[in-house]
């Protein structure tokens, strides 16, 4: 049994729900065969979110960590390929913090690539009937903060752990007028189960040799 930690965020920016936590909870409640899944809710707060993540990793002892966040406006689930060492907040976090041009980790590398097989993960999502793509930017808000914090933790303290970050679209209840793309958290959870099975089965350092690049 592969031990998995999956995380989502609490609601932010005045929203009542966060589909990342809704989906994470569903996956943990009904994990795929061969995996034991623990879920943890992270606060949408710079600094504190990584502290809570670190504590959750220590408590769960996972081999695989998947952190989720909300990306309103994206039409599908996006597997993040890279996290950058930059906090630059367009809006305040849930504690009112709004860092600008600050590093996530002072003195840390400029960026980290995900240690998940991102292209194989995207293929697994699509096979499960969930729209998906590789993303080359996790932004500069708390999602990227956690993505970088996780990668730095793995690189400096937990080399036996693999992990990465995935963005999910708004839930339908967040866009009742249908003016933006949305996916049911249950649909997202179905795709994430397939993603986790694929990630767990793919040897470290291997991935599909297919293009998922962008031109601009």
């Amino acid at each position: 049994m592969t031990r998995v930690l999956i995380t989502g965020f609490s609601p932010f920016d005045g929203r009542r729900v966060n589909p990342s936590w809704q989906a994470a909870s569903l996956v943990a409640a009904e994990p795929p065969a061969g995996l034991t899944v623990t879920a943890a809710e992270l606060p949408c707060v710079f600094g504190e979110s990584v502290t809570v993540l670190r504590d959750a990793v220590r408590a769960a002892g996972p081999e695989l960590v998947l952190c989720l966040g909300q990306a309103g406006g994206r039409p599908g689930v996006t597997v993040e390929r890279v996290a950058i060492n930059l906090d630059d907040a367009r809006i305040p976090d849930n504690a009112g913090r709004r860092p600008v041009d600050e590093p996530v980790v002072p003195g840390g590398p400029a960026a980290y690539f995900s240690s998940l097989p991102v292209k194989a993960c995207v293929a697994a999502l699509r096979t499960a009937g969930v729209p998906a793509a590789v993303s080359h930017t996790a932004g500069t808000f708390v999602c990227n903060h956690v993505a970088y914090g996780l990668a730095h933790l793995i690189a400096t303290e937990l080399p036996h752990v693999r992990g990465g970050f995935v963005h999910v679209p708004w839930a339908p209840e967040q866009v009742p007028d249908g003016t933006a793309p949305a996916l049911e958290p249950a649909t997202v959870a179905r795709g994430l189960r397939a993603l986790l099975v694929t990630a767990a089965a793919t040897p470290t350092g291997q991935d599909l040799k297919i293009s998922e690049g962008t031109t601009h």
Side-chain angles (χ1 to χ4, degrees):
M1 300 287 283
T2 300
R3 298 183 304 279
V4 176
L5 173 66
I6 187 168
T7 74
F9 281 106
S10 57
F12 71 100
D13 197 24
R15 299 280 176 171
R16 191 174 60 84
V17 298
N18 192 316
S20 67
W21 177 239
Q22 291 175 310
S25 300
L26 290 170
V27 173
E30 295 184 33
L35 306 182
T36 60
V37 180
T38 301
E41 185 177 15
L42 305 183
C44 189
V45 177
F46 288 100
E48 184 181 347
S49 53
V50 175
T51 299
V52 174
L53 172 62
R54 178 189 293 270
D55 291 343
V57 168
R58 287 174 174 168
E63 299 160 81
L64 192 64
V65 181
L66 184 68
C67 295
L68 310 178
Q70 170 189 296
R74 292 190 184 183
V77 177
T78 49
V79 183
E80 298 298 341
R81 194 172 194 178
V82 63
I84 61 174
N85 193 13
L86 178 66
D87 291 334
D88 195 349
R90 179 178 56 82
I91 59 174
D93 66 12
N94 284 354
R97 301 170 186 166
R98 191 180 174 188
V100 174
D101 294 341
E102 296 182 10
V104 180
V105 178
Y112 284 110
F113 283 109
S114 174
S115 52
L116 298 179
V118 293
K119 294 179 178 180
C121 287
V122 167
L125 284 158
R126 291 172 179 164
T127 299
V130 179
V134 171
S135 169
H136 296 94
T137 175
T140 54
F141 195 53
V142 186
C143 286
N144 175 77
H145 183 86
V146 164
Y148 187 93
L150 171 63
H152 189 71
L153 180 64
I154 290 172
T156 58
E157 300 180 34
L158 301 170
H160 60 285
V161 175
R162 291 187 294 159
F165 197 95
V166 169
H167 269 116
V168 305
W170 275 321
E173 66 185 285
Q174 294 177 288
V175 282
D177 59 1
T179 57
L183 281 177
E184 289 286 353
T187 300
V188 174
R190 183 180 74 235
L192 293 175
R193 293 185 187 99
L195 180 158
L196 288 171
V197 169
T198 294
T202 303
T204 300
Q206 293 189 20
D207 200 356
L208 298 179
K209 196 70 172 177
I210 57 174
S211 175
E212 288 285 349
T214 56
T215 57
H216 60 279

